[in-house]
Amino acid sequence: MSEGSKGSSLAFGQVVIGPPGSGKTTYCHGMQEFMGRIGRKVAVVNLDPANEAMPYQCALDIAELITLPDVMESLKLGPNGGLIYCMEYLEANFDWLQEKLAAFRGHYYLFDCPGQVELYTHHNALKNVFAQLAKWNFRLAAVHLVDSHYCTDPGKFISVLCTSLSTMLHVELPHVNVLSKMDLIEQYGKLAFNLDYYTEVLDLSYLVDHLASDPFFRSYRRLNEKLVEVIEDYSLVSFVPLNVQDKASMRQVMQAVDKANGCCFGEQEHRSLEALMSAAVGADFHFTSTLAVQEKYLQSQDKAVEEEVMEL
């Protein structure tokens, strides 16, 4: 993986990013198991110096280089400042990273990244790390996880769209936005629109109108309209729904990422994938597609309405 060596083999992978609590570590664990069952050799690289409890099999841990508690104690920094220092320290030690990654040639890489949003919207350390990996013939796609509960709050959803767009423009990698925890969406509250409205980011003027019905947001209508115009002018943001416990959902995300980073799987993996999917028909998986999630959600809402009518 020497820099500038055109003859070295390509390495494919994902950089898993997103705000705290969006499910990045759970995603890496689930994707490692899913890809392992279809024959891919997966190496998970933990780049979060604050990540102590890792459920997945970790091939490389940044804690071998630097840890957040040590930085906070020695430099008297807070969590955010300490994390930024850790990323800058990683950027200054590319030789260490290159040497460690070389031990896993032939693997598919999952980079579990920190959760601080500023690292992906305006700070350059991680962006420079990703650029250096590209020079070492890594073909990476950014998988940006967003908790699906933001769909239940129009104001928060507009904020998520702005953050996703800013991240896409700053990180400068092929990008797949993912709505995580879709299996829990029914617990978050009623959606104002059908699920595909949020995944495909359809006409956002309806969302602005919905916000205007709230007295708090009414005075901010003009601001929301301008934010929505920015999002629609770029026309880049859309989401893939994800339920980590559903094989069909994991397959959908994996195929979207494969298209983004150019990874083409072989015939043997294709057969393994088909065999795995044929075993996913059992009753242990309740969500086989976005439509299934949407239908179940709508049915529960219809039932609630019927019960209210019966009470009347």
Side-chain angles (χ1 to χ4, degrees):
M1 291 192 301
S2 60
E3 184 174 342
S5 175
K6 297 181 180 179
S8 59
S9 60
L10 295 176
F12 294 93
Q14 309 174 20
V15 293
V16 184
I17 61 180
S22 57
K24 297 184 295 298
T25 297
T26 301
Y27 171 85
C28 288
H29 184 210
M31 190 59 73
Q32 182 186 47
E33 289 189 346
F34 182 80
M35 289 185 171
R37 294 180 68 176
I38 62 173
R40 285 194 195 181
K41 295 188 297 181
V42 179
V44 183
V45 180
N46 176 44
L47 293 184
D48 185 355
N51 197 356
E52 297 178 350
M54 294 172 286
Y56 50 72
Q57 183 178 353
C58 187
L60 173 59
D61 191 352
I62 193 176
E64 299 174 23
L65 177 69
I66 192 170
T67 65
L68 182 59
D70 289 344
V71 169
M72 293 173 60
E73 181 179 354
S74 60
L75 299 180
K76 308 303 179 185
L77 294 173
N80 287 347
L83 190 56
I84 289 175
Y85 179 88
C86 290
M87 295 301 99
E88 292 175 344
Y89 191 80
L90 175 63
E91 181 186 2
N93 287 271
F94 280 142
D95 291 344
W96 175 86
L97 183 61
Q98 184 178 20
E99 179 184 350
K100 293 293 185 178
L101 291 175
F104 299 97
R105 278 197 187 93
H107 285 66
Y108 186 96
Y109 296 84
L110 296 173
F111 293 89
D112 188 3
C113 298
Q116 271 60 19
V117 175
E118 60 265 33
L119 292 173
Y120 315 113
T121 56
H122 58 273
H123 195 265
N124 287 326
L126 265 181
K127 174 184 176 181
N128 294 337
V129 170
F130 299 155
Q132 185 62 49
L133 288 170
K135 293 179 181 178
W136 295 336
N137 278 336
F138 279 78
R139 297 296 178 263
L140 302 174
V143 178
H144 184 221
L145 297 181
V146 175
D147 197 317
S148 61
H149 88 266
Y150 290 119
C151 294
T152 61
D153 187 319
K156 290 180 180 179
F157 187 65
I158 290 179
S159 299
V160 162
L161 292 174
C162 291
T163 302
S164 299
L165 178 60
S166 178
T167 300
M168 294 175 76
L169 296 176
H170 182 73
V171 172
E172 297 181 346
L173 283 175
H175 210 91
V176 177
N177 292 303
V178 174
L179 281 177
S180 62
K181 306 179 185 178
M182 289 300 298
D183 51 319
L184 302 177
I185 194 169
E186 296 174 22
Q187 302 176 16
Y188 295 141
K190 184 178 179 180
L191 296 179
F193 306 99
N194 287 342
L195 191 61
D196 57 354
Y197 177 89
Y198 300 92
T199 58
E200 300 301 325
V201 189
L202 303 175
D203 189 350
L204 295 177
S205 62
Y206 293 104
L207 205 61
V208 175
D209 292 338
H210 187 76
L211 274 173
S213 63
D214 188 323
F216 177 80
F217 288 104
R218 193 171 297 151
S219 57
Y220 298 101
R221 183 184 180 101
R222 185 64 175 161
L223 173 62
N224 289 323
E225 287 176 347
K226 289 301 180 183
L227 290 174
V228 163
E229 285 179 15
V230 172
I231 296 165
E232 291 184 331
D233 285 347
Y234 277 97
S235 190
L236 290 175
V237 185
S238 62
F239 294 94
V240 180
L242 172 66
N243 171 12
V244 174
Q245 297 179 346
D246 176 22
K247 291 185 177 74
S249 179
M250 292 291 284
R251 179 187 186 182
Q252 183 182 17
V253 173
M254 185 190 74
Q255 290 177 333
V257 176
D258 282 350
K259 290 179 181 178
N261 64 16
C263 181
C264 297
F265 51 79
E267 183 64 26
Q268 180 58 45
E269 179 175 306
H270 179 72
R271 288 197 295 268
S272 300
L273 182 59
E274 292 302 320
L276 178 63
M277 295 311 301
S278 65
V281 183
D284 55 330
F285 292 100
H286 306 294
F287 300 86
T288 58
S289 66
T290 307
L291 183 60
V293 177
Q294 181 175 329
E295 286 180 348
K296 185 173 181 182
Y297 179 85
L298 292 176
Q299 287 171 3
S300 64
Q301 294 300 321
D302 292 341
K303 184 178 179 181
V305 172
E306 289 177 0
E307 291 176 351
E308 291 179 2
V309 172
M310 293 296 294
E311 290 177 359
L312 294 175

